[in-house]
Amino acid sequence: MIQKLIIANWKMNPQSLAEAMELFNSVKNWIKRHSNVLKNIRIIICPPFVYLSNIISSNLQHLTSNISLGAQDLFWEEKGSFTGEISPKMLKNLGCQYVIIGHSERRKLGETDEMINKKLKAAIKSKLKPILCIGEKRREVGSRKYEEIRNQLKKALKGIPNSLFQLPDSLIIAYEPVWAIGTGNPCKPEDAKEVLTFLRNLTQPLFHSTTQPLILYGGSVNSKIAKDYIEVGFDGLLVGGASLDSKEFIEIIKSVAKC
Ligand code: PGA
């Protein structure tokens, strides 16, 4: 059975390794105690690069069943003179399985669709599972409603043969309306469902029926509304702010587990 994914995007938080370890351990310890009711849920934690190594090395035996690690970005080149960048192989060799690509906060800093396309190709080549973020900047109405996300998806996937997407979670798409991120103003589940249907119709002919991408919702998710997105058909959630509070994040996991 396909698992529901709950992804924690810690962004540029917390400020010390001690706090990062505490946050990770409190979520992990709860998951360990409740693994019997979490069979169909995979939790993916995406901390800043600088904490990945410590978290992975002190949790090797736990990073298998319900809980995995992801990075928040990567660079498309394999190695060389690219000051400040992190290669796909570095992440893979460290034990990362997933990587967020094209987050709107990176797009805002100048990341283009072409760069996102290169990053996606590089992730696939290194067998990292990409979490591709797409979402419209402002609420659109009328016939051009989905134009922006259609273009983002088309450009991100340009030149990637669908034969490269072999497993059900080999491509994860996170629908994150930019106006809903970090605003405390989530997209209504029924409106998000409309976009989900649009995305499923768009991706359906591009992928083999067994390798359809998983589609997640992200944008001001909290424990009160988390399950509503699963109930309208999303395969999981990408959680930002609420993932920094272990109690709130655990409440989100609990509510999805009950779906
Ligand atoms: P948020 O962030 O949950 O704080 O809105 C989501 C994201 O940016 O991935």
Side-chain angles (χ1 to χ4, degrees):
M1 189 198 281
I2 290 181
Q3 290 180 314
K4 296 281 178 258
L5 302 184
I6 304 181
I7 304 178
N9 177 12
W10 289 1
K11 309 190 180 184
M12 202 169 72
N13 302 290
Q15 300 309 302
S16 71
L17 176 61
E19 289 169 284
M21 294 307 284
E22 193 184 324
L23 177 57
F24 182 84
N25 287 333
S26 49
V27 173
K28 178 201 73 185
N29 291 336
W30 184 86
I31 291 171
K32 257 173 70 184
R33 287 198 303 278
H34 297 86
S35 56
N36 54 330
V37 293
L38 299 175
K39 292 239 155 45
N40 297 321
I41 298 191
R42 171 162 289 269
I43 291 105
I44 301 160
I45 310 280
C46 301
F49 288 132
V50 289
Y51 304 139
L52 277 169
S53 179
N54 285 72
I55 293 178
I56 291 176
S57 57
S58 55
N59 286 286
L60 280 180
Q61 73 278 32
H62 302 298
L63 297 175
T64 45
S65 50
N66 295 103
I67 186 158
S68 306
L69 262 285
Q72 296 175 16
D73 189 24
L74 85 178
F75 193 56
W76 55 82
E77 294 289 349
E78 277 181 17
K79 59 179 174 181
S81 308
F82 304 101
T83 304
E85 297 293 352
I86 303 286
S87 80
K89 273 232 170 76
M90 289 176 189
L91 296 172
K92 187 70 189 170
N93 288 339
L94 205 58
C96 264
Q97 285 177 269
Y98 296 83
V99 60
I100 296 174
I101 295 176
H103 192 281
S104 65
E105 286 156 10
R106 297 211 54 81
R107 292 181 193 253
K108 227 184 278 172
L109 290 172
E111 193 159 292
T112 63
D113 288 313
E114 290 67 33
M115 289 156 81
I116 290 164
N117 176 252
K118 286 189 196 177
K119 290 183 177 192
L120 198 53
K121 286 175 176 161
I124 295 166
K125 193 171 167 206
S126 293
K127 304 209 171 358
L128 285 164
K129 293 176 181 176
I131 302 156
L132 171 67
C133 298
I134 56 174
E136 75 281 9
K137 283 190 222 52
R138 53 194 75 80
R139 287 175 198 256
E140 308 269 12
V141 285
S143 59
R144 295 184 60 79
K145 215 170 170 184
Y146 304 125
E147 214 46 35
E148 197 174 349
I149 51 179
R150 182 204 298 274
N151 278 334
Q152 287 173 346
L153 191 63
K154 200 173 133 201
K155 288 178 179 167
L157 295 178
K158 194 175 168 200
I160 306 178
N162 56 12
S163 59
L164 290 181
F165 299 113
Q166 298 287 352
L167 297 167
D169 64 347
S170 50
L171 177 64
I172 300 158
I173 297 172
Y175 167 57
E176 297 207 299
V178 179
W179 49 267
I181 296 177
T183 58
N185 177 27
C187 179
K188 288 198 191 101
E190 60 271 26
D191 293 344
K193 183 186 176 183
E194 214 181 287
V195 182
L196 173 67
T197 307
F198 171 78
L199 287 172
R200 293 234 195 269
N201 289 338
L202 201 64
T203 53
Q204 211 261 332
L206 301 176
F207 294 84
H208 191 266
S209 65
T210 54
T211 62
Q212 286 295 311
L214 299 181
I215 304 181
L216 318 184
Y217 170 77
S220 294
V221 171
N222 61 51
S223 60
K224 290 191 185 71
I225 47 162
K227 72 163 183 13
D228 298 352
Y229 298 101
I230 306 301
E231 282 172 359
V232 299
F234 281 94
D235 299 306
L237 301 164
L238 178 48
V239 186
S243 72
L244 296 171
D245 173 348
S246 60
K247 286 204 181 85
E248 175 66 358
F249 190 58
I250 288 167
E251 287 305 315
I252 291 175
I253 301 172
K254 277 193 210 164
S255 70
V256 173
K258 281 190 202 134
C259 288

